[in-house]
Amino acid sequence: MAVVDDELNDSPLLSQVLGDALVPMQRFHDKILREGVERGIIGPRDEDIIWERHILNSAAIVPFVRERLTTDSQTATVADIGSGGGFPGIVLAACLPQCKVVLVEPMERRVTWLQEVVDELHLANAVVLRKRAEDLAPKSPHASTRHNKKGSQSRRHGRRRSEEQPVSVYGRRDSSTLAAVRNDDSQQDVHGHDSSGVMGREGLAKADSNPSVPQTFDVVTCRAVAPMTKLAGWTLPLLRSGGQLIALKGRSAQAELDKAAKEIKKCHGESPRVCQAPVAPGLEDTHVVLVDKR
């Protein structure tokens, strides 16, 4: 097997951006390179750009999270929604060891991957939660469920279909990754396995009874999960008053915000805006969407 040479291997940019997190991120990079394509974490065309496209791209969110966390550093909480392969959640946990980071992910195979990474990188501040974001939020007494003509509940199936499509940082699905996801996760959906639980050394446990998972968070992050019209309803209810949604987005970020204006307001979000997020000197900036919670 040919050795893949990442374009940024041994670059001083890595230490400059990641600082003390470089050592665990090197182990993360190596694990992705060894197993990422086979396990559907990255596409085969990403093998030589893991640093730039996935790790440094995720690290671009760190200054925004750090700036927002004004609470006691020992109690600051971050939820990474749709954590997938660990972008940006694993990178956040390594770069901000003083914060508790909850990695929220519904797919069993990705939960397994995330827990392996947490254990291998010794990220004591990270917790893996197997759950859908919309099921994690406190239930509203006025919430209703749509029914189809036969009276069956259809909302959950529709959301699951859209939520579980693998999407790259630029919004393009990789065909080999998609095939792996369909093959792996079709069994899970057919059998209707419960997706509520905290993954750890003692296995699955109920999220509501686990003291390591707070009810609301100071910051909610995500990357390439869904358009803002859906993301607002999934993430803003998870924030405490004064918290902030910080989402890595592509070039269509402002258009997404414009379409989601009503949903953001409905979910008590305010001041939605798009900011340029530097990745590293000489590399193309990315975009971050910020929404404050009233």
Side-chain angles (χ1 to χ4, degrees):
M1 180 180 295
V3 176
V4 177
D5 185 17
D6 193 301
E7 294 178 0
L8 291 180
N9 276 343
D10 302 320
S11 169
L13 290 178
L14 300 180
S15 177
Q16 182 179 337
V17 173
L18 298 170
D20 292 341
L22 177 57
V23 172
M25 287 299 92
Q26 182 69 65
R27 292 202 296 268
F28 187 33
H29 175 279
D30 293 347
K31 182 176 178 67
I32 297 169
L33 184 58
R34 289 193 312 271
E35 308 171 32
V37 173
E38 181 180 353
R39 297 177 67 172
I41 301 302
I42 63 169
R45 291 176 296 179
D46 287 358
E47 286 185 296
D48 60 347
I49 51 173
I50 294 171
W51 282 118
E52 178 180 354
R53 179 166 290 187
H54 297 292
I55 297 178
L56 294 186
N57 180 273
S58 295
I61 208 173
V62 171
F64 294 89
V65 176
R66 184 182 288 119
E67 180 180 352
R68 191 64 182 188
L69 293 178
T70 58
T71 59
D72 187 328
S73 62
Q74 299 303 311
T75 61
T77 56
V78 177
D80 184 46
I81 301 302
S83 205
F87 315 115
I90 290 292
V91 181
L92 277 174
C95 291
L96 300 172
Q98 74 276 21
C99 302
K100 179 178 290 297
V101 180
V102 179
L103 309 173
V104 183
E105 169 58 46
M107 291 186 189
E108 183 176 10
R109 67 184 185 88
R110 292 184 176 179
V111 165
T112 300
W113 164 270
L114 289 170
Q115 191 60 50
E116 288 178 15
V117 174
V118 167
D119 290 343
E120 291 175 22
L121 271 55
H122 307 293
L123 298 177
N125 61 325
V127 174
V128 182
L129 176 63
R130 188 180 173 197
K131 205 173 183 74
R132 289 183 294 272
E134 62 267 42
D135 295 333
L136 182 60
K139 295 296 184 293
S140 167
H142 303 295
S144 61
T145 302
R146 296 197 305 271
H147 291 71
N148 61 23
K149 293 181 180 179
K150 295 182 180 180
S152 62
Q153 295 181 353
S154 60
R155 179 180 62 179
R156 182 179 301 277
H157 298 291
R159 282 185 177 175
R160 176 177 293 180
R161 186 177 298 111
S162 63
E163 177 187 44
E164 295 185 351
Q165 295 292 340
V167 183
S168 75
V169 66
Y170 298 111
R172 297 191 298 268
R173 298 188 183 97
D174 179 82
S175 58
S176 62
T177 302
L178 182 56
V181 169
R182 284 174 175 167
N183 181 61
D184 183 72
D185 293 312
S186 60
Q187 297 301 316
Q188 175 184 338
D189 291 343
V190 166
H191 297 294
H193 291 170
D194 180 21
S195 62
S196 301
V198 176
M199 194 73 181
R201 300 182 188 279
E202 299 179 357
L204 292 173
K206 291 184 178 179
D208 295 340
S209 62
N210 193 296
S212 63
V213 180
Q215 294 297 306
T216 57
F217 299 86
D218 299 298
V219 168
V220 171
T221 62
C222 56
R223 185 187 110 161
V225 172
M228 284 300 303
T229 49
K230 293 183 178 180
L231 202 59
W234 293 350
T235 59
L236 293 178
L238 301 179
L239 288 164
R240 64 169 178 78
S241 178
Q244 188 176 68
L245 168 64
I246 305 177
L248 279 164
K249 283 287 182 182
R251 296 178 181 177
S252 63
Q254 187 58 56
E256 287 192 31
L257 278 185
D258 295 341
K259 291 180 180 179
K262 290 183 179 179
E263 186 66 22
I264 290 171
K265 184 176 180 181
K266 177 183 175 181
C267 296
H268 307 289
E270 60 183 7
S271 303
R273 64 259 190 212
V274 179
C275 296
Q276 291 286 110
V279 172
L283 300 181
E284 184 180 358
D285 291 352
T286 188
H287 300 81
V288 170
V289 164
L290 304 177
V291 183
D292 302 326
K293 177 69 176 287
R294 291 199 301 271

